[in-house]
Amino acid sequence: MFSVYGQSTDDNDGSKIMAGHAYVPDAQTESSTTDTGVESEVEGIQMGSAVCRLFPVKVSGYCVIFSLVFIKVPVAIGGTASGEPCIFPFLFQEKEYSECTTEGRGDGRLWCATTYNYNTDKKWGFCETEEQAEQRRLVEEAEEQYQDAIKMINSTNRRSQKNELYDRLLKVAEMGHAKAMEKVAYAMLFGDYLPQSIPQAKEIFEKLALEGSPKAQTALGFLYAAGLGVNSSQAKALVYYTFGALGGNLVAHMILGYRYWGGVGVPQSCESALTHYRLVANHVASDVSLTGGSAVQRIRLLDEVESPGSSSGMLEEDLIQYYQFLAEKGDVQAQVGLGQLHLHGGRGVEQNHQRAYEYFNQAANAGNTHAMAFLGKMYSEGSEYVAQNNDTALHYFKKAADLGNPVGQSGLGMAYLYGRGVPVNYDLALKYFQKAAEQGWVDGQLQLGTMYYNGIGVKRDYKQALKFFNLASQAGHILAFYNLAQMHATGTGVMRSCHTAVELFKNVCERGRWSERLMAAYGSFKEGDMDSALVQYLLLSEQGYEVAQSNVAFILDQSESIFNENETYPRALLHWTRAAAQGYTVARIKLGDYHFYGYGTDVDYETAVIHYRLASEQQHSAQAMFNLGYMHEKGLGIKQDIHLAKRFYDMAAEASPDAQVPVFLALCKLGLIYALEYLQDLNLKDLLSQVDLDQLLGPEWDLYLMTVIALLLGTVIAYRQRQHQAVPRAPPAPPRPPAQPEQPAGEPEEQ
């Protein structure tokens, strides 16, 4: 046959790199040197074009048989075969080892054999020096401590315990553990469980970025984008974000997706945005469980401050306790409601599968079909508290479905669709999904869409798939948004629309695990830690969360921050602009206000009018209409026109009942101004000089007028006196009861 001779070179750590490359030339040759510099020899047979036909891939006239392979082989240090390369696998005590091992040694040092059979030849050496062994032991110790700390952090919700665990993590980071350094740096950046220190976080991120950490590269991109601890530079931010994305960091991909979508620091490109968002959405959709995952709570700080509790959707602690009291007393609806809250989390309630199971179990025992179906979901999906069990899940699904519950029907459909505890039966799956969908249950609608989209058990029908995905998306199901995005991105069943696909994928991406940061930032805001809240909202705003952008602008607008005073309004203006571009009406009005008053920019009435008009026409904002009325009244940035001013005031009153009182006052003022202008136009002095009252009312008109005034005055006085006499006197006050003696301090008062 033929043989391949490899070259070996010494590596700087004492090991050897063996290189081999085989080529079959088109003509007979004894030896040749490839373009890799590795010499190959072919001998023993005639090598003609007939052989090359078997290997059609050619490089510089040669047929490639094997590609270049580098094998790093350790060289024995000390022992009985110092300097010899290790042999893998080697036999030691009736077991083969394909890498260096610590077996048979009490000091934990790695060793290898330099012949296959160590038992007979006793040829061996260490794979590392004593210094390398000590360094490896330190790395292993740091990894063990890191895993223990992370496990304990994930198992507790108590802040005091997490603070202590992050102190332990800080010590692990000081040992050079990369993942611990990432955790600690982010904790310092946000002020989570460690004191906030942006300079220290930056220093750690820079060290990690040099080692190629995608998380650190993304974090540095954020620091340069936001100007935190460094001079703001969008160019550097883009470079770091790009490196982070190339390293597989999903947050970096999401940030780049938003930047290309909105043209932030890069040319606007829908297709580039689609590429980044789709990649992130694939990961988010793959993590969605049957139970739907945790809920995403979006709270606007502006709404929270202006109308506390009206729109945040958060449940007050006393209200939760009231529901818990009802549940303990046997209220089935309270049990089911609390079960769902703990199953998905949100509205101020942390996700807790153990408590969810307990509440559902109580309600199911009382005969509630919803609770039975949700128990089926929990058993079907499985969790740390509830072990996955298809038979138990099927039992609960059947009980609920037999009583007409759509959640149970959908669960049975899933069982027959995927063969969970029952044989696969697409007809039955379709039947149960249709029953659930007819009752408006979102999972039934989603699965029907999936069956029609893929042609499972039915004829493929993209129109039907689109119909059911749209129905499921109206209930906010994340997978419905994902499937619709895929259809719009590929033009399957609909006209291809990059813009629609990006918006849908963006919606999916914003449901990822990083959305938990929204509640963490809100918690910091409620605790009064504005700097921590601001930094967290800044990162989320970089990811494209509109609610985070408006919250950043609100914090900068309302309070002192980590930025210089002269930077506050320009930064707030930037984030109001980004929020307005995503359709937030209040942000659009704020832009008008900033240009009207000159906050963070020059006073520009024309631009203010443009923003107010956009808010008025696109979102029918009463505030914008009122502001336009005022600007028409005063002629600010627009032609003065009292008639148009009245029209906008009237439109504002129609758009919102809250605007009716200010509109009434504005119209009164406008009417007065109009009357004064009318009188000025009439030239009242000339008009009065032309009127002869003696001729019009007679020579004694002044006496008649005085008589009439006197009669009116007398009538008023008489009326007032009669009214005063008609008021009855108050009866004398009843005698007060004697004062009761004070209760002794130790006895409770009677209720």
Side-chain angles (χ1 to χ4, degrees):
M1 296 300 179
F2 64 92
S3 61
V4 179
Y5 294 91
Q7 293 181 332
S8 68
T9 59
D10 289 331
D11 200 9
N12 56 11
D13 64 352
S15 60
K16 291 188 177 182
I17 297 177
M18 309 298 292
H21 215 319
Y23 287 92
V24 180
D26 280 340
Q28 182 180 356
T29 183
E30 289 300 322
S31 67
S32 61
T33 303
T34 72
D35 56 353
T36 62
V38 179
E39 195 171 51
S40 301
E41 293 185 10
V42 182
E43 60 184 10
I45 61 169
Q46 293 283 329
M47 297 291 183
S49 58
V51 178
C52 280
R53 283 197 292 271
L54 299 174
F55 304 99
V57 181
K58 298 184 180 182
V59 178
S60 302
Y62 293 89
C63 303
V64 179
I65 300 177
F66 299 113
S67 62
L68 184 63
V69 177
F70 289 98
I71 305 172
K72 193 172 183 178
V73 180
V75 174
I77 302 170
T80 60
S82 182
E84 294 294 320
C86 296
I87 294 295
F88 298 113
F90 64 88
L91 185 67
F92 172 62
Q93 292 181 351
E94 300 182 358
K95 182 180 177 182
E96 284 191 343
Y97 293 87
S98 57
E99 59 184 2
C100 296
T101 182
T102 59
E103 291 294 325
R105 295 199 60 84
D107 57 4
R109 286 185 67 180
L110 291 168
W111 67 277
C112 69
T114 58
T115 61
Y116 171 72
N117 194 332
Y118 169 81
N119 300 321
T120 58
D121 300 335
K122 306 296 181 182
K123 295 286 186 179
W124 69 279
F126 293 111
C127 298
E128 57 189 359
T129 63
E130 289 186 13
E131 293 79 8
Q132 289 172 334
E134 181 63 25
Q135 186 178 3
R136 178 177 56 80
R137 279 194 289 270
L138 289 173
V139 169
E140 290 173 352
E141 182 184 348
E143 176 65 21
E144 185 179 350
Q145 291 181 15
Y146 170 78
Q147 294 296 341
D148 288 343
I150 291 297
K151 186 177 179 181
M152 294 174 72
I153 286 170
N154 293 334
S155 64
T156 182
N157 291 322
R158 293 177 60 185
R159 189 171 185 84
S160 58
Q161 286 185 347
K162 286 195 174 185
N163 289 341
E164 293 175 6
L165 291 168
Y166 265 85
D167 286 335
R168 286 175 56 181
L169 210 57
L170 182 59
K171 293 176 182 177
V172 179
E174 289 169 355
M175 297 169 68
H177 191 280
K179 289 184 178 179
M181 289 171 72
E182 287 175 353
K183 282 273 187 185
V184 164
Y186 272 101
M188 288 178 173
L189 177 63
F190 298 132
D192 273 349
Y193 313 114
L194 288 174
Q196 190 173 27
S197 176
I198 293 172
Q200 279 186 276
K202 171 180 167 287
E203 185 180 341
I204 297 172
F205 285 137
E206 285 175 340
K207 287 180 183 177
L208 291 170
L210 289 174
E211 297 172 7
S213 165
K215 281 188 177 180
Q217 290 162 344
T218 303
L220 280 177
F222 165 62
L223 292 180
Y224 278 105
L228 291 168
V230 293
N231 292 327
S232 180
S233 171
Q234 298 305 318
K236 287 185 178 180
L238 183 62
V239 170
Y240 279 116
Y241 284 148
T242 304
F243 276 120
L246 289 172
N249 187 269
L250 296 179
V251 172
H253 276 293
M254 193 171 170
I255 291 171
L256 287 175
Y258 171 69
R259 288 191 160 228
Y260 280 110
W261 182 61
V264 179
V266 291
Q268 196 167 13
S269 171
C270 183
E271 294 298 333
S272 297
L274 180 62
T275 301
H276 288 289
Y277 272 131
R278 178 188 274 170
L279 188 147
V280 180
N282 289 341
H283 284 271
V284 174
S286 66
D287 289 340
V288 176
S289 63
L290 180 64
T291 55
S294 59
V296 179
Q297 202 73 31
R298 301 169 191 251
I299 302 172
R300 296 189 191 280
L301 301 183
L302 180 64
D303 297 341
E304 180 84 1
V305 170
E306 291 187 352
S307 48
S310 63
S311 59
S312 69
M314 299 290 289
L315 291 175
E316 297 292 336
E317 183 63 30
D318 54 353
L319 188 59
I320 295 172
Q321 289 178 358
Y322 173 67
Y323 286 136
Q324 289 172 343
F325 172 76
L326 290 178
E328 289 170 4
K329 292 294 182 182
D331 189 303
V332 175
Q333 293 303 319
Q335 291 167 349
V336 174
L338 285 171
Q340 288 180 282
L341 274 175
H342 284 98
L343 179 63
H344 301 295
R347 303 194 71 182
V349 179
E350 290 188 354
Q351 196 171 22
N352 188 323
H353 282 190
Q354 179 179 351
R355 301 202 70 180
Y357 176 83
E358 290 169 356
Y359 283 122
F360 285 141
N361 198 39
Q362 291 173 18
N365 290 337
N368 185 274
T369 57
H370 250 64
M372 295 174 192
F374 276 106
L375 280 175
K377 271 193 168 194
M378 293 187 74
Y379 276 108
S380 179
E381 186 66 26
S383 66
E384 290 183 4
Y385 182 75
V386 180
Q388 201 278 338
N389 190 314
N390 285 330
D391 293 335
T392 308
L394 200 64
H395 165 73
Y396 281 114
F397 283 144
K398 278 184 177 177
K399 282 184 72 175
D402 290 344
L403 295 170
N405 184 273
V407 186
Q409 292 166 346
S410 177
L412 267 185
M414 293 288 287
Y416 283 112
L417 181 63
Y418 296 107
R420 296 173 180 170
V422 291
V424 172
N425 189 324
Y426 294 140
D427 292 335
L428 281 176
L430 184 68
K431 170 189 168 185
Y432 282 114
F433 287 143
Q434 285 173 336
K435 284 184 175 181
E438 285 169 4
Q439 297 188 62
W441 181 241
V442 61
D443 285 341
Q445 295 164 344
L446 175 74
Q447 296 304 328
L448 273 181
T450 303
M451 293 185 79
Y452 278 111
Y453 183 84
N454 295 311
I456 300 173
V458 291
K459 185 179 178 182
R460 182 170 290 179
D461 188 335
Y462 291 130
K463 287 186 178 179
Q464 284 291 96
L466 187 68
K467 169 191 167 184
F468 285 112
F469 286 149
N470 275 320
L471 286 171
S473 71
Q474 290 171 14
H477 201 295
I478 185 172
L479 292 180
F481 287 119
Y482 176 75
N483 291 330
L484 284 173
Q486 292 284 25
M487 293 182 78
H488 283 283
T490 56
T492 305
V494 291
M495 186 75 74
R496 187 180 187 275
S497 172
C498 177
H499 183 78
T500 305
V502 167
E503 287 190 334
L504 290 166
F505 275 133
K506 181 175 183 289
N507 194 314
V508 174
C509 294
E510 290 181 358
R511 310 285 189 92
R513 59 183 181 275
W514 39 80
S515 62
E516 295 171 4
R517 179 65 57 189
L518 284 167
M519 284 308 298
Y522 176 72
S524 298
F525 175 80
K526 294 293 283 185
E527 291 170 5
D529 191 351
M530 296 301 171
D531 289 346
S532 175
L534 179 60
V535 174
Q536 293 179 80
Y537 279 131
L538 275 168
L539 178 58
L540 291 164
S541 72
E542 279 288 297
Q543 292 175 245
Y545 286 88
E546 176 271 308
V547 68
Q549 291 166 349
S550 60
N551 286 349
V552 166
F554 173 79
I555 292 174
L556 291 171
D557 200 10
Q558 296 293 315
S559 61
E560 294 181 0
S561 67
I562 51 182
F563 298 113
N564 296 330
E565 189 176 348
N566 59 348
E567 295 181 19
T568 302
Y569 281 127
R571 289 177 180 274
L573 180 65
L574 171 68
H575 285 88
W576 285 130
T577 304
R578 291 181 180 178
Q582 298 199 58
Y584 184 36
T585 308
V586 175
R588 182 67 66 187
I589 296 170
K590 284 284 187 181
L591 285 178
D593 294 344
Y594 271 50
H595 285 94
F596 184 90
Y597 295 109
Y599 294 155
T601 183
D602 296 330
V603 173
D604 189 342
Y605 295 133
E606 289 82 2
T607 305
V609 167
I610 291 170
H611 288 299
Y612 290 144
R613 186 164 285 153
L614 284 171
S616 169
E617 294 174 355
Q618 295 177 0
Q619 285 102 17
H620 306 290
S621 165
Q623 179 69 58
M625 294 171 186
F626 186 90
N627 292 351
L628 282 173
Y630 179 81
M631 297 186 82
H632 272 294
E633 177 188 328
K634 296 293 184 183
L636 298 173
I638 201 167
K639 184 181 177 182
Q640 189 173 23
D641 190 327
I642 290 177
H643 301 287
L644 274 176
K646 182 181 183 305
R647 179 185 171 196
F648 278 109
Y649 284 142
D650 289 337
M651 288 168 62
E654 291 174 5
S656 171
D658 295 337
Q660 290 178 356
V661 173
V663 164
F664 172 75
L665 296 173
L667 287 175
C668 289
K669 176 189 169 188
L670 200 63
L672 181 62
I673 293 171
Y674 182 77
L676 289 173
E677 287 185 357
Y678 179 75
L679 292 174
Q680 285 176 356
D681 292 341
L682 283 178
N683 201 349
L684 196 58
K685 279 187 178 182
D686 294 344
L687 185 65
L688 291 175
S689 63
Q690 294 175 8
V691 176
D692 188 354
L693 293 176
D694 291 340
Q695 185 179 359
L696 187 65
L697 299 175
E700 287 89 11
W701 65 269
D702 52 345
L703 294 175
Y704 300 147
L705 181 61
M706 289 174 65
T707 304
V708 170
I709 291 173
L711 287 171
L712 285 173
L713 185 60
T715 304
V716 169
I717 292 171
Y719 176 75
R720 293 283 291 175
Q721 286 180 342
R722 183 177 297 174
Q723 203 173 30
H724 182 69
Q725 291 172 356
V727 175
R729 289 185 178 182
R736 296 179 62 184
Q740 293 183 0
E742 293 181 359
Q743 292 278 359
E747 296 179 12
E749 294 182 3
E750 291 183 2
Q751 299 296 320

